[in-house]
Amino acid sequence: MTAITDRTAALKAARAKESSDKRRRVLQTMKAMETTGQPITAAAVAAAAGVSTWLVYANGIREHLDAARTRQRQAVDDAPPTAGTPTGHQPVTPTGHQPVTPTGLRTDLAVARHEIHRLRTDLDKLRSRLRLQLGAEIEQPDRAELIARVAALEAANRQFLAERDARASEADTAQRRAEQLEDDLTAARESLRRVIRDTNR
């Protein structure tokens, strides 16, 4: 159990570091896009940073996204109108965000679907690996336990061999004793017959 606990803690730490690195990369990407004047959208930031759109919408990131988009919109509002452009502000939604366009929504939806599919695939792989790892650890005894079992079996085998040799020695002794007794009995019978013959004479 200790090995499993250590691996679980290491896995959690690695995931936490990976999540922190991704968040830092998203913030740096947004800052660079804002500096260069690139339109900031969730899909654009996710693609540039190499992360999912879900992360861009996550708490702690979404606030920076909204703030950057607001600054971009404010910069457009404050800029002097160019020729052929009507005076006034660009349309703004009641929430203060930039207008949502069908194209942007379709892009975000496509990215989200792709990310969902990737995450499900990764989850299936992780479940399979975890199932195999736990199964191997449950089915395979500990190395120390195996060594102890082998030692116990060797000791039992040595004891069995010693008992077998002792029984064989006892059997040999009994066999020799039986043969000696049989010889004594044969001699006694022969002696008795001679006595009977001598008496009958």
Side-chain angles (χ1 to χ4, degrees), residues 154-166:
E154 290 178 346
N157 185 55
R158 287 193 297 269
Q159 182 178 0
F160 172 76
L161 293 176
E163 291 178 355
R164 184 200 63 182
D165 294 341

Side-chain angles (χ1 to χ4, degrees), residues 6-180:
D6 293 342
R7 281 194 292 271
T8 302
L11 183 59
K12 288 182 178 180
R15 288 179 177 174
K17 184 179 184 303
E18 182 181 6
S19 177
S20 177
D21 292 342
K22 286 182 177 180
R23 287 174 174 265
R24 187 183 308 108
R25 192 163 65 245
V26 169
L27 295 177
Q28 292 174 348
T29 299
M30 279 194 290
K31 183 177 181 181
M33 292 177 67
E34 185 177 2
T35 301
T36 57
Q38 300 179 54
I40 297 178
T41 64
V45 172
V51 299
S52 68
T53 53
W54 298 108
L55 179 59
V56 180
Y57 284 123
N59 292 333
I61 300 295
R62 177 60 184 267
E63 293 83 351
H64 293 278
L65 175 68
D66 291 341
R69 295 172 67 177
T70 299
R71 287 193 295 271
Q72 278 195 338
R73 186 180 64 253
Q74 187 63 42
V76 173
D77 291 344
D78 294 341
T82 58
T85 302
T87 303
H89 300 301
Q90 294 182 352
V92 179
T93 61
T95 58
H97 298 157
Q98 290 181 341
V100 178
T101 64
T103 301
L105 288 176
R106 283 194 294 269
T107 302
D108 286 350
L109 181 59
V111 173
R113 286 176 175 172
H114 175 75
E115 185 65 17
I116 290 173
H117 176 73
R118 186 184 68 81
L119 290 175
R120 285 177 176 173
T121 302
D122 290 346
L123 180 60
D124 291 340
K125 291 180 181 179
L126 288 174
R127 284 176 175 172
S128 178
R129 290 173 57 187
L130 180 61
R131 190 180 301 111
L132 292 175
Q133 181 66 28
L134 291 178
E137 291 181 355
I138 291 174
E139 294 175 359
Q140 295 181 0
D142 184 71
R143 183 173 181 271
E145 183 180 352
L146 282 177
I147 294 175
R149 289 182 182 179
V150 171
L153 289 174
E154 290 178 346
N157 185 55
R158 287 193 297 269
Q159 182 178 0
F160 172 76
L161 293 176
E163 291 178 355
R164 184 200 63 182
D165 294 341
R167 297 294 180 273
S169 178
E170 292 176 358
D172 291 340
T173 301
Q175 180 66 27
R176 288 193 299 270
R177 179 60 177 165
E179 292 175 354
Q180 181 179 359

